[in-house]
Amino acid sequence: MTANARKPRTRIQQKNTAAILEAALDVFSSRGFRGSTVDQIAKAAGLSKPNLLYYFPSKEAIHRELLGGLLDTWLAPLHAMKAEGDPLEEIMAYVRRKLEMSREMPRESRLFANEVLQGAPNLEGVLKEHLKPLVDEKAAVIQSWSAAGRIAPVHPYHLLFSIWSLTQHYADFDVQVRAVLPQSEAGDPFPEAARHVDAMFRKMLTPGG
Amino acid sequence: MTANARKPRTRIQQKNTAAILEAALDVFSSRGFRGSTVDQIAKAAGLSKPNLLYYFPSKEAIHRELLGGLLDTWLAPLHAMKAEGDPLEEIMAYVRRKLEMSREMPRESRLFANEVLQGAPNLEGVLKEHLKPLVDEKAAVIQSWSAAGRIAPVHPYHLLFSIWSLTQHYADFDVQVRAVLPQSEAGDPFPEAARHVDAMFRKMLTPGG
DNA sequence: CGTCCTTCTGACCAATTGGTCAAACAACAA
DNA sequence: TTGTTGTTTGACCAATTGGTCAGAAGGACG
């Protein structure tokens, strides 16, 4: 059977497609789609360019596969926010998970950031078909919590935006954060970041106050 | 005299260099440095490629000039935050100005975002020589306000990060914001954004509470 | 008019890049 | 061993791209 099919069959195919995607994540996330070359990805994956193109039909195909494959991972934390839980704790857990992801998966964050920043040419469909429905659903949940007085009144969509921006900032603008922070913190900005972000949303959401 | 000198002399030079920088801002900010071509910039500026290269020696030179020329504008709002003013109002004014800039100058925001996102290859010097000293200075001011109990205790650096991320998010991730927001708000997210962001920082910074 | 300087262009070039292809090589089963 | 299938490569190609250059056009001034 042909190599470019949906699921890899042989061990070599599994190993190589995995290596390619890993390498592509590295390259695409740090240089953007247009700024990356197939050769860079091939070299990073330990393959020759024609060999890489034996597994994926084109540079764009690698990119699409990457984005698609990562999307679920990326949206999982928001999925995990349940209407049944304690409102403040659900949201704070979401914030915490997002910040952890910025720390553990900065390349993924930058990959999406690069894409969105440049007008999301290969992501517009996904944005409206996957992200928007999910956000609509969770915004409604937040709205209901807010209306019930279980958290302070907030604009649910902008609350989500502020969670995304605050947490992803530490992955996407990592160089800036480290360049600006005093020596003592530049090594690992995350502990203080966690405290700060936690405080911000706690104050924002605690009712009454 | 040669055309590539510091200050444009003739009217034609003024007009064309300005057109080139304007075009370059458009192109670089939406496609990143590596993703942009000299031809695109030339076309957008209404010039031929050789003619553009008569005014700037290289693609990189345009990029450098752009970044350098924009830096002052970009840092002006932070400069304007004065230790003598009312702490809460100084910070809130800074937040407001930054959000206005996201609305009025989204291309500039994206230009810097693209650069930082890709490791700030042409910005590292600037980051440490211009941005860091300024941030250090203003962080000290915030620190003193905080210590004097005039605003709630905050980590000054991370407070600045959160101002940057929250405000610039609306420029940098514009496509996503509009894709996710309900129809009614997608046309102009800024009024609600302003309310939300204002509330966040006001709650964060109001002492006691 | 002619002269000098600036502005502009078409033709060109070398390097890079995404992608192809025929053929070599490996793995393994019969 | 041989046949079959999956894997890898060197050589190659067309398109794009950053940049050059010689000279043509334009403008200002005597």
Side-chain angles (χ1 to χ4, degrees), chain A residues 31 34 155 158 170 185, chain B residues 31 34 155 158 170 185:
Chain A
R31 324 179 57 123
R34 280 178 247 251
H155 190 301
H158 289 274
Y170 291 95
E185 259 190 71
Chain B
R31 322 179 59 119
R34 279 179 248 250
H155 190 302
H158 289 274
Y170 291 96
E185 256 191 73

Side-chain angles (χ1 to χ4, degrees), chain A:
Chain A
M1 73 158 290
T2 157
N4 299 324
R6 288 270 171 266
K7 305 265 177 175
R9 291 286 161 86
T10 74
R11 265 166 237 158
I12 295 183
Q13 275 183 37
Q14 285 212 4
K15 194 191 81 180
N16 281 348
T17 54
I20 291 169
L21 289 174
E22 161 70 22
L25 175 59
D26 236 58
V27 175
F28 281 143
S29 71
S30 68
R31 324 179 57 123
F33 177 75
R34 280 178 247 251
S36 306
T37 75
V38 177
D39 252 333
Q40 289 164 358
I41 302 175
K43 195 151 292 182
L47 299 175
S48 67
K49 184 170 66 168
N51 197 13
L52 179 149
L53 288 167
Y54 168 71
Y55 291 100
F56 288 87
S58 71
K59 179 184 169 185
E60 221 199 310
I62 307 177
H63 194 238
R64 252 200 313 276
E65 176 95 1
L66 245 196
L67 285 176
L70 254 28
L71 193 70
D72 286 341
T73 311
W74 206 242
L75 297 184
L78 185 51
H79 260 298
M81 197 180 77
K82 298 293 182 194
E84 302 80 52
D86 174 71
L88 185 60
E89 277 320 301
E90 286 291 323
I91 297 175
M92 295 312 295
Y94 176 51
V95 170
R96 238 173 286 126
R97 273 186 218 111
K98 283 294 284 180
L99 193 60
E100 273 164 26
M101 284 181 64
S102 266
R103 179 188 216 157
E104 314 290 343
M105 311 172 67
R107 293 175 307 170
E108 287 79 350
S109 185
R110 278 183 221 123
L111 183 75
F112 286 115
N114 255 307
E115 194 61 16
V116 173
L117 195 56
Q118 307 193 359
N122 295 312
L123 216 61
E124 274 214 85
V126 162
L127 244 50
K128 282 176 187 161
E129 289 159 36
H130 292 249
L131 181 60
K132 177 151 173 49
L134 177 61
V135 170
D136 284 340
E137 177 200 331
K138 300 304 182 180
V141 171
I142 295 172
Q143 180 59 45
S144 77
W145 286 338
S146 191
R150 305 178 67 193
I151 55 174
V154 278
H155 190 301
Y157 289 91
H158 289 274
L159 175 68
L160 289 174
F161 295 156
S162 53
I163 295 174
W164 299 345
S165 67
L166 273 173
T167 56
Q168 290 173 9
H169 186 82
Y170 291 95
D172 302 344
F173 293 75
D174 177 74
V175 208
Q176 197 187 51
V177 166
R178 288 179 202 269
V180 161
L181 231 34
Q183 181 86 41
S184 56
E185 259 190 71
D188 181 7
F190 281 94
E192 285 298 332
R195 261 174 233 125
H196 175 76
V197 170
D198 190 276
M200 283 216 58
F201 288 107
R202 214 168 275 279
K203 290 198 185 186
M204 181 69 187
L205 294 170
T206 303

Side-chain angles (χ1 to χ4, degrees), chain B residues 26-196:
Chain B
D26 235 57
V27 175
F28 282 142
S29 71
S30 69
R31 322 179 59 119
F33 177 75
R34 279 179 248 250
S36 307
T37 75
V38 177
D39 252 333
Q40 289 164 357
I41 301 175
K43 196 153 291 179
L47 300 175
S48 67
K49 183 169 68 167
N51 198 13
L52 179 149
L53 288 168
Y54 167 72
Y55 291 98
F56 289 88
S58 71
K59 179 185 169 185
E60 222 200 310
I62 307 177
H63 194 236
R64 252 200 313 275
E65 176 96 1
L66 245 196
L67 286 176
L70 254 29
L71 193 69
D72 286 341
T73 312
W74 205 242
L75 297 185
L78 185 51
H79 260 298
M81 197 179 78
K82 298 292 183 196
E84 302 80 51
D86 174 71
L88 185 60
E89 278 321 301
E90 286 292 322
I91 297 175
M92 296 312 295
Y94 176 50
V95 170
R96 239 173 284 128
R97 273 187 217 111
K98 282 294 283 179
L99 192 60
E100 275 163 26
M101 285 182 61
S102 266
R103 178 186 216 158
E104 314 291 345
M105 311 172 67
R107 294 175 308 170
E108 287 80 349
S109 185
R110 277 182 221 123
L111 183 75
F112 286 115
N114 255 308
E115 194 60 18
V116 174
L117 195 57
Q118 307 194 358
N122 295 312
L123 215 61
E124 274 215 83
V126 163
L127 244 50
K128 283 177 187 162
E129 288 159 36
H130 292 249
L131 180 60
K132 177 148 172 52
L134 177 61
V135 170
D136 283 342
E137 177 200 331
K138 300 303 181 179
V141 171
I142 295 173
Q143 180 59 44
S144 77
W145 287 338
S146 191
R150 305 178 66 190
I151 55 174
V154 278
H155 190 302
Y157 290 91
H158 289 274
L159 175 68
L160 290 173
F161 295 157
S162 53
I163 295 175
W164 300 345
S165 68
L166 273 173
T167 55
Q168 291 173 9
H169 186 82
Y170 291 96
D172 302 344
F173 294 75
D174 177 74
V175 206
Q176 196 187 51
V177 166
R178 288 179 203 272
V180 161
L181 231 33
Q183 182 85 38
S184 56
E185 256 191 73
D188 181 7
F190 281 93
E192 284 297 331
R195 261 175 234 125
H196 176 78

